């Protein structure tokens, strides 16, 4: 096709947007509404994922090592026959971790497990302080007395953070199997809830976006249908003098894409205003909370809106004009 023909057809498509401006404005309005809702769904999903990610980082698993205290406070362990024991009846063979170096080796072994994000060594002194912070006040004095007598009942251990909480149970099993690990404290219920929320939001987001995309496609298709019937005689004449289907389609595709791209630009501006109002409302109701800034996602959202507008405009036009040309082909030939 010659460049002059492309310019002519593009001009006709753009002119059609203005000629049918009422229908075009109506289509742009509905498309903008759909795109803004899609944008809000995306921003909501990103913010919720960020918050869930923060919760995942806080959902730390506490791993306690098999050291002297683990043997001392265990009722099931007994010193091997003939082994040298101390005043508490504990021998070196009754536990695995005898010093800080061996404890660090256990940490390294845990780090090598798949799905482990980070491992932080926690001394028994730190573990005692953490325990005292969550105990009722009436029980704190008991631990304080033990600490003064040099009888810290806690074991050395580690704070372990996982990458994917969906693999929580299998990761716990892998940690438990590491030599030198005595026990694990975890919030399995919280991990399951976080995973369920993430999966639910993903499915809901996909469903909402899919429905809105279908609506956008239908709206553009209806606009093109009105334009097509307004130019029915012109299309018939073009077909009668030998114009190809591609030649007839191009102005409608240009019209649909133009409507889509105009909607994309307007949607970004409206979404920014809506998001700003929403952030102010959330901050006034909840207080200080970390939300994703709009500027960091603006280019991505514009790209998504432009893609939606382009795809809806292109396919909506092609589908409508294709059906029309196929149905009315015999009439064109008779003219």
């Amino acid at each position: 096709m010659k460049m002059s023909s492309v310019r002519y057809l593009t001009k006709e498509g753009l002119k059609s947007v203005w000629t049918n401006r009422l229908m075009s404005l109506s289509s742009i309005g509905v498309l903008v509404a759909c795109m803004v809702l899609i944008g809000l769904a995306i921003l909501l999903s990103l913010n919720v994922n960020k918050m869930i990610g923060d919760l995942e980082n806080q959902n730390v698993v506490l791993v306690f090592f098999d050291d002297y205290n683990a043997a001392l406070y265990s009722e099931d362990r007994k010193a091997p026959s003939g082994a040298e024991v101390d005043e508490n009846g504990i021998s070196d063979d009754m536990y695995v971790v005898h010093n800080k170096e061996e404890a660090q080796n256990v940490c390294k072994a845990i780090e090598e497990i798949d799905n482990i994000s980070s491992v932080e060594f926690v001394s028994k002194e730190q573990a005692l302080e953490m325990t005292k912070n969550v105990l009722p006040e009436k029980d704190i004095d008991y631990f304080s007395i033990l600490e003064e007598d040099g009888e810290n009942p806690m074991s050395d251990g580690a704070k372990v953070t996982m990458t994917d909480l969906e693999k929580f149970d299998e990761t716990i099993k892998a940690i438990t199997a590491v030599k030198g690990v005595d026990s694990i404290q975890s919030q399995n219920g919280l991990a399951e809830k976080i995973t369920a929320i993430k999966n639910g939001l993903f499915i809901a987001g996909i469903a909402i976006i899919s429905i809105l995309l279908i609506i956008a496609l239908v709206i553009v298709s209806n606009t093109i249908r009105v334009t097509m019937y307004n130019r029915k005689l012109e299309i018939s004449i073009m077909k009668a003098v030998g114009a190809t289907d591609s030649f007839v389609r191009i102005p409608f595709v240009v019209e649909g894409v133009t409507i889509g791209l105009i909607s994309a630009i307007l949607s970004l501006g409206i979404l920014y205003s809506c998001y700003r109002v929403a952030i102010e409302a959330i901050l006034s109701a909840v207080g200080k909370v970390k939300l994703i800034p709009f500027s960091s996602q603006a280019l991505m959202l514009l790209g998504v809106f432009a893609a939606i507008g382009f795809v809806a405009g292109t396919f909506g036009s092609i589908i409508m004009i294709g059906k029309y040309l196929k149905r009315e082909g015999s009439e064109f030939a008779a003219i």
Side-chain angles (χ1 to χ4, degrees):
M1 187 180 295
K2 295 181 180 179
M3 186 58 65
S4 58
S5 298
V6 173
R7 285 198 297 267
Y8 166 75
L9 294 173
T10 302
K11 183 179 179 181
E12 287 297 307
L14 294 173
K15 186 168 66 175
S16 183
V17 174
W18 175 252
T19 302
N20 302 286
R21 52 188 173 275
L22 291 179
M23 191 63 191
S24 296
L25 285 173
S26 176
S27 298
I28 289 171
V30 177
L31 274 176
V32 166
C34 289
M35 289 182 184
V36 169
L37 290 175
I38 290 173
L40 288 173
I42 291 173
L43 289 172
L44 174 63
S45 178
L46 289 173
N47 277 295
V48 171
N49 282 335
K50 182 180 182 301
M51 293 176 185
I52 290 175
D54 293 339
L55 278 176
E56 287 178 335
N57 292 331
Q58 295 173 15
N59 189 30
V60 176
V61 175
L62 296 178
V63 178
F64 295 102
F65 297 154
D66 186 1
D67 60 5
Y68 184 88
N69 278 341
L72 178 63
Y73 293 100
S74 173
E75 298 179 356
D76 301 327
R77 304 190 193 189
K78 293 182 180 180
S81 178
E84 184 179 348
V85 298
D86 62 10
E87 66 276 9
N88 294 316
I90 305 297
S91 69
D92 289 347
D93 298 330
M94 292 175 64
Y95 56 98
V96 177
V97 178
H98 300 86
N99 51 56
K100 188 173 182 180
E101 182 180 353
E102 291 180 350
Q104 295 288 359
N105 289 336
V106 178
C107 289
K108 290 178 182 177
I110 295 174
E111 283 180 340
E112 294 176 359
I113 297 174
D114 184 38
N115 194 42
I116 296 298
S117 174
S118 65
V119 178
E120 178 187 347
F121 174 74
V122 179
S123 67
K124 61 183 180 180
E125 290 77 19
Q126 291 174 307
L128 180 60
E129 286 301 318
M130 291 168 59
T131 303
K132 288 165 61 178
N133 288 336
V134 298
L135 283 175
E137 291 186 7
K138 61 186 179 73
D139 296 328
I140 293 178
D141 291 339
Y142 171 73
F143 279 88
S144 299
I145 294 171
L146 288 176
E147 189 176 13
E148 290 173 1
D149 294 339
E151 297 181 7
N152 184 344
M154 306 303 295
S155 296
D156 290 331
K159 289 182 179 179
V160 178
T161 305
M162 299 182 194
T163 303
D164 184 1
L165 290 184
E166 291 186 7
K167 301 178 182 178
F168 187 88
D169 291 336
E170 59 188 84
T171 307
I172 290 293
K173 289 179 181 178
I175 295 173
T176 305
V178 174
K179 185 178 180 180
V181 171
D182 178 60
S183 62
I184 297 176
Q185 287 185 1
S186 65
Q187 296 178 333
N188 188 37
L190 178 59
E192 291 177 353
K193 289 178 182 178
I194 290 174
T195 300
I197 291 171
K198 286 179 69 175
N199 293 337
L201 283 173
F202 177 77
I203 294 171
I206 293 296
I208 292 171
I209 291 173
S210 299
I211 292 170
L212 292 174
L213 285 175
I214 293 172
I215 293 173
L217 184 61
V218 171
I219 292 300
V220 173
S221 299
N222 286 336
T223 302
I224 299 302
R225 176 184 292 179
V226 171
T227 304
M228 186 173 56
Y229 280 104
N230 286 342
R231 300 178 61 186
K232 184 176 180 179
L233 179 60
E234 182 182 344
I235 295 172
S236 300
I237 294 172
M238 285 193 292
K239 290 295 292 182
V241 298
T244 63
D245 288 351
S246 298
F247 189 89
V248 175
R249 284 192 183 102
I250 288 177
F252 296 100
V253 173
V254 171
E255 180 182 357
V257 170
T258 301
I259 291 172
L261 295 180
I262 291 173
S263 301
I265 295 170
L266 292 175
S267 298
L268 188 68
I270 294 173
L271 180 61
Y272 169 74
S273 300
C274 293
Y275 189 66
R276 186 174 179 180
V277 171
I279 286 179
E280 291 176 355
I282 291 171
L283 291 177
S284 62
V286 180
K288 189 176 181 181
V289 60
K290 291 182 179 180
L291 297 174
I292 295 175
F294 185 85
S295 57
S296 66
Q297 305 298 324
L299 287 177
M300 181 273 290
L301 289 168
L302 181 59
V304 170
F305 292 160
I308 292 172
F310 182 83
V311 171
T314 301
F315 282 93
S317 305
I318 290 175
I319 291 170
M320 273 298 114
I321 194 66
K323 287 182 178 180
Y324 183 79
L325 291 175
K326 184 178 181 180
R327 186 175 65 250
E328 304 295 336
S330 58
E331 293 184 11
F332 296 149
I335 293 178

